[in-house]
Amino acid sequence: MKRIMTALFAVLLCVSMPLCAAAAENETENIFRIASLADWAAFAENCRLDAWSARKRVFLECDLDFTGRTLTSVPIFSGHFDGGGHVISGISLTGTGSEQGLFRQVAEGAVITRLTVSGEILPSGSKSTCGGIAGQNGGVLSFCSFSGTVAGDGRIGGIAGVNEKTGLIANCMVSGEIRGTHETGGIAGSNAGTVLLSSNRAAVGTVLVESGGAFSGLALDLDHLTSVTQSDLAGVMDIGGIAGLSSGLIQQCENYGRIGYPHVGYNVGGIAGRQSGRISDCANYADVYGRKDVGGIVGQMEPFTEWRLSDDLLMQLRQQLDTLDMLIDRAVQDADAAVSSAKPRLEEARGYVDSAVSALDSMAGQTVDFVDGNIGTLNEISARIAEITAEMEAVAGDAAESLDALERAMNAVRRVFVHLTEASEISGDGIDALLE
């Protein structure tokens, strides 16, 4: 092991030497320092082109207070941003559109670290994919914290609205209030990547935000409201302390903030509202409220089921049944003149084989229909699982029927063998073929 580690270290050293030399040559042009509000404005303007920040190292060298001032968010960032533990406070983003946050998009391979942000993200218009640090994250967000309010429609998170498959959120913390109608989480609204060692202390989804109708733009406190109709609340779903919807990994995370509103919302959980990924070593210490599919850790866990019914396998089984049917038919012909008692039993066996063949064909057909009918179709209400389960039970029922029919056929054939053994003078070619 030591030899392997030494060799790896030597390789890394050899590779890093030219990189360090190149970095020294280009240090001036690859480093950008922010020490004032004007520097931030210039930085955000430069980031309108994604190529500008590639391989760029940006250092925040002081706290920035945007209270009462206009903040320009960063359109897209592809480099390395070191906040140095400094605070960007007083931010207020109320513009129109989606992908809202201090950084609207964090590209794959980018890093934002050691940054504290406070303020409010309250966009108008489509107002989806909003986060305190990033609207959409495909890179690394580490040792970042946000305090304040993030509100919108869907994919709303305290750190990131969406954490993509390549995204990593680690050692981050949120406090304040996070509001949304669906896919709303304390850390990430939607997580397809990884969230590690992060904690949420913000209230998530405790105030209803209407996205249209007579109450458009209003935050409704349900504790003091009795006139909201069921149709107003039907779209509230996927709310979690760490992630509203997660198909990725959430590990060693904690939630301390109240989640959901009483009697409202589907798929509400202390860690994830709805998840089909993995959750490990997480804890929830707060109350969780909702209408249906509500859990201390997960509101709804979506099972992953994969059917592997090979066409080749089904064809082989069909050929075996056809062969059995042919052999039984030959045995019936041989036994017809000699042992009359055997013929009815052989006829019964052939009937069972025919039933097995029909059931097999039905199983194959329903399997194809089931796959074709359900690919790309996801019901966002809890009935989704029940409907798919019912379809699968129908297919499984035909499979069981096929096996039962085959078993009855073999039992009938065994009984025929008993009768034929008793009538030892009969030894036709059909019986020999069956015994083979």
Side-chain angles (χ1 to χ4, degrees):
M1 177 62 70
K2 290 183 178 179
R3 291 181 178 178
I4 295 175
M5 295 302 295
T6 302
L8 287 175
F9 180 78
V11 171
L12 289 174
L13 183 60
C14 292
V15 172
S16 63
M17 287 177 64
L19 292 179
C20 292
E25 294 175 1
N26 300 319
E27 180 178 4
T28 302
E29 65 181 54
N30 285 338
I31 290 180
F32 189 92
R33 301 183 185 278
I34 300 175
S36 66
L37 300 183
D39 289 342
W40 177 271
F43 165 60
E45 180 65 27
N46 288 329
C47 287
R48 292 184 182 277
L49 298 176
D50 56 354
W52 181 86
S53 61
R55 296 181 298 277
K56 189 82 70 180
R57 296 181 64 84
V58 180
F59 294 92
L60 180 62
E61 298 187 334
C62 64
D63 295 344
L64 299 178
D65 186 359
F66 283 93
T67 302
R69 297 175 179 270
T70 300
L71 167 69
T72 301
S73 58
V74 177
I76 183 169
F77 185 70
S78 305
H80 187 286
F81 185 99
D82 187 348
H86 294 294
V87 179
I88 298 179
S89 60
I91 71 169
S92 179
L93 297 174
T94 57
T96 302
S98 299
E99 293 185 349
Q100 297 288 343
L102 184 63
F103 295 81
R104 300 185 70 170
Q105 293 184 31
V106 177
E108 179 179 353
V111 176
I112 298 175
T113 186
R114 300 198 302 162
L115 177 64
T116 297
V117 179
S118 65
E120 58 183 20
I121 314 292
L122 304 172
S124 57
S126 56
K127 56 183 178 181
S128 66
T129 313
C130 304
I133 303 296
Q136 188 158 324
N137 174 53
V140 176
L141 306 179
S142 65
F143 297 98
C144 294
S145 65
F146 175 82
S147 61
T149 301
V150 182
D153 189 1
R155 298 180 174 182
I156 309 300
I159 296 296
V162 172
N163 189 43
E164 299 175 327
K165 287 185 178 180
T166 58
L168 169 64
I169 299 176
N171 293 283
C172 292
M173 185 177 67
V174 174
S175 61
E177 185 178 37
I178 312 299
R179 304 198 301 258
T181 57
H182 60 276
E183 296 182 35
T184 306
I187 300 297
S190 175
N191 171 52
T194 301
V195 181
L196 299 176
L197 298 165
S198 298
S199 63
N200 172 61
R201 296 180 179 274
V204 181
T206 57
V207 175
L208 178 64
V209 177
E210 283 299 303
S211 58
F215 300 106
S216 179
L218 295 180
L220 306 179
D221 185 349
L222 295 184
D223 292 335
H224 301 89
L225 184 69
T226 59
S227 61
V228 177
T229 66
Q230 181 63 36
S231 61
D232 293 327
L233 310 178
V236 179
M237 62 181 66
D238 301 338
I239 301 171
I242 300 300
L245 173 65
S246 179
S247 58
L249 171 65
I250 301 176
Q251 186 168 340
Q252 290 181 277
C253 293
E254 297 177 335
N255 175 66
Y256 297 90
R258 173 180 163 178
I259 308 300
Y261 2 73
H263 314 298
V264 176
Y266 300 83
N267 310 334
V268 186
I271 298 299
R274 175 161 54 106
Q275 84 98 22
S276 58
R278 181 180 178 184
I279 294 178
S280 176
D281 298 322
C282 294
N284 172 51
Y285 299 99
D287 295 333
V288 181
Y289 298 91
R291 178 180 178 84
K292 186 178 181 181
D293 295 329
V294 180
I297 298 297
V298 177
Q300 182 183 124
M301 293 187 65
E302 293 189 325
F304 176 77
T305 304
E306 183 176 5
W307 283 63
R308 293 179 177 268
L309 293 178
S310 167
D311 291 340
D312 292 338
L313 181 60
L314 293 176
M315 183 62 68
Q316 290 176 15
L317 181 56
R318 174 60 188 269
Q319 291 174 351
Q320 295 288 344
L321 289 173
D322 288 341
T323 300
L324 178 60
D325 183 64
M326 179 189 68
L327 294 177
I328 291 176
D329 186 64
R330 290 174 58 183
V332 168
Q333 294 176 6
D334 289 336
D336 189 22
V339 184
S340 59
S341 62
K343 183 176 180 179
R345 295 186 180 276
L346 287 170
E347 294 283 6
E348 180 185 8
R350 182 162 56 185
Y352 287 144
V353 172
D354 291 341
S355 297
V357 171
S358 298
L360 178 64
D361 290 341
S362 177
M363 179 179 68
Q366 288 196 31
T367 300
V368 173
D369 292 341
F370 170 74
V371 174
D372 290 344
N374 287 280
I375 286 180
T377 302
L378 290 176
N379 184 352
E380 290 191 341
I381 312 175
S382 60
R384 171 182 57 255
I385 296 300
E387 292 173 358
I388 294 177
T389 302
E391 293 283 354
M392 293 175 66
E393 287 176 352
V395 175
D398 281 328
E401 181 183 346
S402 176
L403 294 176
D404 290 343
L406 183 59
E407 183 178 1
R408 290 195 299 270
M410 296 307 298
N411 288 335
V413 171
R414 292 190 187 97
R415 290 196 298 269
V416 170
F417 289 161
V418 173
H419 282 274
L420 294 179
T421 302
E422 294 173 354
S424 57
E425 67 275 10
I426 302 298
S427 58
D429 293 339
I431 297 174
D432 291 340
L434 276 173
L435 292 176
E436 290 177 359

